[in-house]
Amino acid sequence: PRKVQLDSLDMVARYNHYFEQWKNDKLNVAKTDSLREIIWTYAHHLRRYGQPQALAFLDQVAIETSGQIELQAGIGYTRADVLNRPGTNHEVLAHNRALVLHAIKVIPEWQERAYMLLSQIYANAIATTHHAYPKSFKRSDLTAADRLMFNLVINYLERAIAVQKSGAYKTGFSSIKHYNQLIDQFYTFQFTKTDLEAMGLQPGQRVLIDMHPYEWVQDTTTIRPSPSN
């Protein structure tokens, strides 16, 4: 990390400070949590200079914290976050998803941000399939598989909201208002009543997503009530 050249000396100093504190007392949970957060923050700062810089930082941190399960899980999550972009191929998205799911098991207090990232990974899978951003999609361009994926995106945004409302963990990664704005945006791509009837589906039904080109997803989604149109 300290070998990465940055314009921001403050970020370098902050990382070094947290790392030295943690190194002197690895059993201190609070110090581990603080280091995990600064790694995420620093990596996102580096990403502004390009993904290679951020990934180089994470590679070095992974070496320096080898054997530390929670930190390694946090680094994996951060790597998935750094790599998550529209246009990312499905193989990379599948790998990123695996890193996030592992992080949820090891760091339960990151559930909210993890659910948010999973929704982004699945939205980017649709964007990659159509070589376009969701905002430019036309309903007529979407397949049944695409619409099931949009269902899944909304499901994970709703999970993020539920975690935040529960107050069980440190939350507030994003505002509920922002989550709802995203849900409203994606809701426009949901099944119509005619679509559901043609496919023999009902609102509230659970469906496994395992069809082309989303075979890697292997996740279930709840069919949402169809829009009035």
Side-chain angles (χ1 to χ4, degrees), residues 41-73:
T41 303
Y42 191 5
H44 277 265
H45 174 78
L46 280 166
R47 188 171 63 179
R48 294 186 297 175
Y49 298 84
Q51 279 188 348
Q53 288 90 331
L55 295 175
F57 164 68
L58 292 172
D59 287 342
Q60 186 62 35
V61 174
I63 293 172
E64 293 185 343
T65 60
S66 177
Q68 303 299 313
I69 296 174
E70 285 197 6
L71 286 174
Q72 293 293 315

Short mmCIF file of all heavy atoms in Angstrom, two decimals, residues 41-73:
data_model
loop_
_atom_site.label_atom_id
_atom_site.label_comp_id
_atom_site.label_asym_id
_atom_site.label_seq_id
_atom_site.Cartn_x
_atom_site.Cartn_y
_atom_site.Cartn_z
N THR A 41 -12.21 2.52 2.05
CA THR A 41 -12.18 3.94 1.68
C THR A 41 -10.99 4.26 0.80
O THR A 41 -11.11 4.97 -0.21
CB THR A 41 -12.13 4.81 2.95
OG1 THR A 41 -13.25 4.51 3.78
CG2 THR A 41 -12.17 6.29 2.60
N TYR A 42 -9.83 3.74 1.16
CA TYR A 42 -8.60 4.01 0.42
C TYR A 42 -8.68 3.42 -0.99
O TYR A 42 -8.28 4.05 -1.98
CB TYR A 42 -7.42 3.43 1.20
CG TYR A 42 -6.04 3.82 0.74
CD1 TYR A 42 -5.83 4.75 -0.27
CD2 TYR A 42 -4.92 3.27 1.35
CE1 TYR A 42 -4.56 5.10 -0.68
CE2 TYR A 42 -3.64 3.62 0.96
CZ TYR A 42 -3.47 4.53 -0.05
OH TYR A 42 -2.21 4.88 -0.45
N ALA A 43 -9.22 2.20 -1.09
CA ALA A 43 -9.34 1.57 -2.41
C ALA A 43 -10.25 2.39 -3.33
O ALA A 43 -9.98 2.54 -4.53
CB ALA A 43 -9.88 0.14 -2.26
N HIS A 44 -11.34 2.92 -2.78
CA HIS A 44 -12.24 3.74 -3.60
C HIS A 44 -11.59 5.06 -3.98
O HIS A 44 -11.82 5.59 -5.08
CB HIS A 44 -13.56 3.98 -2.85
CG HIS A 44 -14.51 2.84 -3.00
ND1 HIS A 44 -15.49 2.82 -3.95
CD2 HIS A 44 -14.58 1.65 -2.37
CE1 HIS A 44 -16.16 1.68 -3.88
NE2 HIS A 44 -15.62 0.95 -2.92
N HIS A 45 -10.76 5.57 -3.09
CA HIS A 45 -9.99 6.78 -3.42
C HIS A 45 -9.04 6.49 -4.59
O HIS A 45 -8.95 7.26 -5.55
CB HIS A 45 -9.21 7.25 -2.20
CG HIS A 45 -8.28 8.39 -2.48
ND1 HIS A 45 -8.71 9.69 -2.59
CD2 HIS A 45 -6.94 8.42 -2.67
CE1 HIS A 45 -7.67 10.47 -2.84
NE2 HIS A 45 -6.60 9.73 -2.88
N LEU A 46 -8.37 5.36 -4.52
CA LEU A 46 -7.43 4.97 -5.57
C LEU A 46 -8.12 4.72 -6.90
O LEU A 46 -7.55 4.96 -7.97
CB LEU A 46 -6.67 3.71 -5.14
CG LEU A 46 -5.50 3.92 -4.17
CD1 LEU A 46 -5.08 2.59 -3.58
CD2 LEU A 46 -4.33 4.57 -4.87
N ARG A 47 -9.34 4.21 -6.84
CA ARG A 47 -10.05 3.87 -8.07
C ARG A 47 -10.24 5.09 -8.97
O ARG A 47 -10.37 4.96 -10.19
CB ARG A 47 -11.39 3.23 -7.75
CG ARG A 47 -12.10 2.66 -8.99
CD ARG A 47 -13.31 1.86 -8.62
NE ARG A 47 -14.33 2.67 -7.97
CZ ARG A 47 -15.51 2.18 -7.56
NH1 ARG A 47 -15.78 0.90 -7.71
NH2 ARG A 47 -16.38 2.97 -6.98
N ARG A 48 -10.26 6.27 -8.36
CA ARG A 48 -10.39 7.48 -9.16
C ARG A 48 -9.18 7.66 -10.09
O ARG A 48 -9.26 8.35 -11.10
CB ARG A 48 -10.53 8.70 -8.26
CG ARG A 48 -11.83 8.71 -7.45
CD ARG A 48 -12.00 10.00 -6.68
NE ARG A 48 -10.94 10.18 -5.70
CZ ARG A 48 -10.79 11.28 -4.96
NH1 ARG A 48 -11.63 12.29 -5.10
NH2 ARG A 48 -9.81 11.36 -4.09
N TYR A 49 -8.08 7.03 -9.73
CA TYR A 49 -6.88 7.10 -10.56
C TYR A 49 -6.81 5.90 -11.52
O TYR A 49 -5.91 5.81 -12.35
CB TYR A 49 -5.62 7.11 -9.68
CG TYR A 49 -5.54 8.31 -8.78
CD1 TYR A 49 -6.20 8.33 -7.56
CD2 TYR A 49 -4.82 9.44 -9.14
CE1 TYR A 49 -6.15 9.43 -6.72
CE2 TYR A 49 -4.76 10.55 -8.31
CZ TYR A 49 -5.42 10.54 -7.10
OH TYR A 49 -5.36 11.64 -6.27
N GLY A 50 -7.76 4.98 -11.36
CA GLY A 50 -7.83 3.81 -12.24
C GLY A 50 -7.91 2.52 -11.44
O GLY A 50 -7.37 2.43 -10.33
N GLN A 51 -8.57 1.53 -12.01
CA GLN A 51 -8.70 0.24 -11.32
C GLN A 51 -7.35 -0.40 -10.99
O GLN A 51 -7.21 -0.99 -9.91
CB GLN A 51 -9.53 -0.72 -12.18
CG GLN A 51 -11.02 -0.52 -12.08
CD GLN A 51 -11.80 -1.61 -12.80
OE1 GLN A 51 -11.23 -2.40 -13.55
NE2 GLN A 51 -13.10 -1.64 -12.58
N PRO A 52 -6.34 -0.35 -11.87
CA PRO A 52 -5.06 -1.01 -11.56
C PRO A 52 -4.44 -0.53 -10.25
O PRO A 52 -3.90 -1.33 -9.48
CB PRO A 52 -4.18 -0.65 -12.76
CG PRO A 52 -5.15 -0.46 -13.89
CD PRO A 52 -6.34 0.20 -13.25
N GLN A 53 -4.53 0.77 -9.99
CA GLN A 53 -3.96 1.29 -8.75
C GLN A 53 -4.68 0.73 -7.53
O GLN A 53 -4.06 0.33 -6.54
CB GLN A 53 -4.02 2.82 -8.72
CG GLN A 53 -3.05 3.49 -9.67
CD GLN A 53 -3.64 3.72 -11.04
OE1 GLN A 53 -4.51 2.95 -11.48
NE2 GLN A 53 -3.19 4.74 -11.74
N ALA A 54 -6.01 0.70 -7.60
CA ALA A 54 -6.79 0.18 -6.48
C ALA A 54 -6.53 -1.31 -6.27
O ALA A 54 -6.37 -1.77 -5.13
CB ALA A 54 -8.28 0.42 -6.73
N LEU A 55 -6.44 -2.07 -7.36
CA LEU A 55 -6.21 -3.51 -7.24
C LEU A 55 -4.81 -3.81 -6.74
O LEU A 55 -4.60 -4.76 -5.98
CB LEU A 55 -6.46 -4.18 -8.60
CG LEU A 55 -7.91 -4.12 -9.09
CD1 LEU A 55 -8.02 -4.70 -10.49
CD2 LEU A 55 -8.84 -4.85 -8.13
N ALA A 56 -3.83 -2.99 -7.15
CA ALA A 56 -2.46 -3.18 -6.66
C ALA A 56 -2.41 -2.97 -5.15
O ALA A 56 -1.73 -3.71 -4.43
CB ALA A 56 -1.52 -2.21 -7.37
N PHE A 57 -3.13 -1.96 -4.69
CA PHE A 57 -3.21 -1.71 -3.25
C PHE A 57 -3.82 -2.89 -2.51
O PHE A 57 -3.29 -3.37 -1.50
CB PHE A 57 -4.04 -0.44 -3.01
CG PHE A 57 -4.53 -0.27 -1.60
CD1 PHE A 57 -3.63 -0.02 -0.57
CD2 PHE A 57 -5.87 -0.38 -1.30
CE1 PHE A 57 -4.07 0.13 0.74
CE2 PHE A 57 -6.33 -0.23 0.00
CZ PHE A 57 -5.42 0.02 1.03
N LEU A 58 -4.94 -3.41 -3.03
CA LEU A 58 -5.62 -4.53 -2.38
C LEU A 58 -4.75 -5.79 -2.40
O LEU A 58 -4.75 -6.57 -1.43
CB LEU A 58 -6.96 -4.79 -3.06
CG LEU A 58 -8.01 -3.69 -2.88
CD1 LEU A 58 -9.23 -3.96 -3.75
CD2 LEU A 58 -8.42 -3.58 -1.41
N ASP A 59 -4.01 -6.01 -3.49
CA ASP A 59 -3.11 -7.17 -3.55
C ASP A 59 -2.06 -7.09 -2.44
O ASP A 59 -1.77 -8.09 -1.77
CB ASP A 59 -2.40 -7.21 -4.91
CG ASP A 59 -3.32 -7.66 -6.04
OD1 ASP A 59 -4.38 -8.24 -5.74
OD2 ASP A 59 -2.97 -7.40 -7.21
N GLN A 60 -1.49 -5.90 -2.24
CA GLN A 60 -0.46 -5.74 -1.22
C GLN A 60 -1.03 -5.89 0.19
O GLN A 60 -0.44 -6.54 1.06
CB GLN A 60 0.22 -4.37 -1.36
CG GLN A 60 1.42 -4.17 -0.44
CD GLN A 60 2.53 -5.17 -0.71
OE1 GLN A 60 2.75 -5.56 -1.85
NE2 GLN A 60 3.22 -5.59 0.35
N VAL A 61 -2.21 -5.31 0.41
CA VAL A 61 -2.85 -5.43 1.72
C VAL A 61 -3.18 -6.89 2.02
O VAL A 61 -3.04 -7.35 3.16
CB VAL A 61 -4.13 -4.58 1.79
CG1 VAL A 61 -4.86 -4.82 3.10
CG2 VAL A 61 -3.79 -3.10 1.69
N ALA A 62 -3.61 -7.62 1.01
CA ALA A 62 -3.94 -9.04 1.21
C ALA A 62 -2.72 -9.81 1.68
O ALA A 62 -2.82 -10.71 2.53
CB ALA A 62 -4.48 -9.64 -0.09
N ILE A 63 -1.55 -9.45 1.17
CA ILE A 63 -0.31 -10.10 1.59
C ILE A 63 0.02 -9.72 3.04
O ILE A 63 0.37 -10.56 3.87
CB ILE A 63 0.85 -9.70 0.65
CG1 ILE A 63 0.61 -10.27 -0.75
CG2 ILE A 63 2.18 -10.20 1.21
CD1 ILE A 63 1.58 -9.78 -1.79
N GLU A 64 -0.10 -8.43 3.35
CA GLU A 64 0.26 -7.94 4.68
C GLU A 64 -0.67 -8.45 5.78
O GLU A 64 -0.30 -8.50 6.95
CB GLU A 64 0.26 -6.42 4.68
CG GLU A 64 1.37 -5.81 3.83
CD GLU A 64 1.43 -4.30 3.96
OE1 GLU A 64 0.46 -3.69 4.43
OE2 GLU A 64 2.47 -3.73 3.58
N THR A 65 -1.90 -8.81 5.41
CA THR A 65 -2.88 -9.28 6.41
C THR A 65 -3.21 -10.75 6.20
O THR A 65 -4.29 -11.21 6.58
CB THR A 65 -4.16 -8.44 6.34
OG1 THR A 65 -4.75 -8.56 5.04
CG2 THR A 65 -3.86 -6.97 6.63
N SER A 66 -2.31 -11.48 5.59
CA SER A 66 -2.53 -12.90 5.31
C SER A 66 -2.93 -13.66 6.57
O SER A 66 -2.34 -13.47 7.64
CB SER A 66 -1.26 -13.52 4.72
OG SER A 66 -1.41 -14.90 4.51
N GLY A 67 -3.95 -14.52 6.43
CA GLY A 67 -4.39 -15.33 7.55
C GLY A 67 -5.44 -14.67 8.43
O GLY A 67 -6.00 -15.32 9.31
N GLN A 68 -5.72 -13.39 8.20
CA GLN A 68 -6.73 -12.67 8.99
C GLN A 68 -8.07 -12.78 8.27
O GLN A 68 -8.33 -12.08 7.29
CB GLN A 68 -6.31 -11.21 9.16
CG GLN A 68 -4.95 -11.04 9.79
CD GLN A 68 -4.89 -11.63 11.19
OE1 GLN A 68 -5.78 -11.39 12.00
NE2 GLN A 68 -3.85 -12.40 11.47
N ILE A 69 -8.91 -13.66 8.73
CA ILE A 69 -10.13 -14.03 8.01
C ILE A 69 -11.03 -12.84 7.72
O ILE A 69 -11.50 -12.65 6.59
CB ILE A 69 -10.90 -15.12 8.79
CG1 ILE A 69 -10.06 -16.39 8.87
CG2 ILE A 69 -12.24 -15.42 8.11
CD1 ILE A 69 -10.68 -17.48 9.74
N GLU A 70 -11.33 -12.02 8.73
CA GLU A 70 -12.25 -10.91 8.51
C GLU A 70 -11.67 -9.87 7.56
O GLU A 70 -12.38 -9.34 6.70
CB GLU A 70 -12.61 -10.26 9.85
CG GLU A 70 -13.57 -11.08 10.68
CD GLU A 70 -14.23 -10.25 11.77
OE1 GLU A 70 -14.01 -9.02 11.80
OE2 GLU A 70 -14.96 -10.83 12.58
N LEU A 71 -10.39 -9.57 7.72
CA LEU A 71 -9.78 -8.59 6.82
C LEU A 71 -9.73 -9.12 5.39
O LEU A 71 -9.96 -8.37 4.44
CB LEU A 71 -8.38 -8.23 7.31
CG LEU A 71 -8.33 -7.33 8.55
CD1 LEU A 71 -6.90 -7.16 9.04
CD2 LEU A 71 -8.94 -5.96 8.25
N GLN A 72 -9.42 -10.40 5.24
CA GLN A 72 -9.38 -10.98 3.90
C GLN A 72 -10.77 -10.94 3.25
O GLN A 72 -10.90 -10.67 2.05
CB GLN A 72 -8.87 -12.42 3.97
CG GLN A 72 -7.41 -12.55 4.38
CD GLN A 72 -6.46 -11.99 3.34
OE1 GLN A 72 -6.60 -12.23 2.14
NE2 GLN A 72 -5.48 -11.21 3.79
N ALA A 73 -11.81 -11.19 4.04
CA ALA A 73 -13.16 -11.12 3.50
C ALA A 73 -13.51 -9.69 3.10
O ALA A 73 -14.14 -9.46 2.06
CB ALA A 73 -14.17 -11.63 4.54
#
